[in-house]
Amino acid sequence: MASRLNPYIGFGGNAREAMEFYKEVFGGTLVLNTFGDFGDKEAPNANNIMHGQLETDGGYTIMGADTASAGEYKPSDTMSVSLSGDDADELRGYWEKLSSGGTITVPMEKQMWGDEFGMCADRFGITWMVNIVAAQQA
């Protein structure tokens, strides 16, 4: 799998509706995971989208999620850049450069979904998410 660069859009509680709309527009395959899928199914935000990914018929990838924080939703802060793939050395190199001089908000480490993931704001304030897909075991 080659590394990919694609948008990751934050929503204020309507990620499911928005991602389903993008599926209607672009076609493709939509996968939605809720916060409840990976945690407390009884939590107040359990049905909100933790991660949504649309792989379109035209080859586009659009990702999105509901904001997890209790803070105020600001549409101007809803876009991140996501790098993902299985070339761990390449992606770790990007991570090191992007996070250097910036602010790490999620350290690069193995996550509950099995991949390594980190999130940072670079020195220009742009939010980057780097996801290294876990090696598949035979």
Side-chain angles (χ1 to χ4, degrees):
M1 166 197 287
S3 297
R4 299 188 294 182
L5 178 79
N6 53 272
Y8 202 112
I9 307 167
F11 298 94
N14 60 346
R16 180 182 305 276
E17 178 184 1
M19 295 299 290
E20 288 172 349
F21 170 73
Y22 297 142
K23 183 180 187 305
E24 289 176 20
V25 171
F26 296 107
T29 303
L30 177 62
V31 176
L32 298 172
N33 299 109
T34 66
F35 287 98
D37 292 338
F38 291 100
D40 182 1
K41 294 183 185 323
E42 304 300 320
N45 67 345
N47 291 323
N48 284 6
I49 301 302
M50 184 183 105
H51 176 72
Q53 182 165 324
L54 175 64
E55 296 288 345
T56 73
D57 297 334
Y60 303 129
T61 300
I62 302 170
M63 296 178 169
D66 288 309
T67 57
S69 69
E72 181 182 337
Y73 173 72
K74 295 182 243 172
S76 63
D77 295 338
T78 62
M79 184 69 74
S80 302
V81 182
S82 174
L83 287 167
S84 57
D86 60 4
D87 187 331
D89 291 337
E90 177 184 52
L91 291 165
R92 281 191 193 99
Y94 293 145
W95 169 258
E96 291 302 320
K97 292 174 185 173
L98 290 165
S99 62
S100 178
T103 303
I104 295 174
T105 53
V106 176
M108 176 63 73
E109 59 190 20
K110 187 170 181 170
Q111 299 296 324
M112 63 182 127
W113 58 89
D115 296 348
E116 286 183 65
F117 174 83
M119 187 163 64
C120 69
D122 67 19
R123 62 189 176 122
F124 302 103
I126 304 301
T127 300
W128 291 86
M129 297 183 292
V130 179
N131 191 83
I132 302 170
V133 176
Q136 298 298 315
Q137 297 183 7

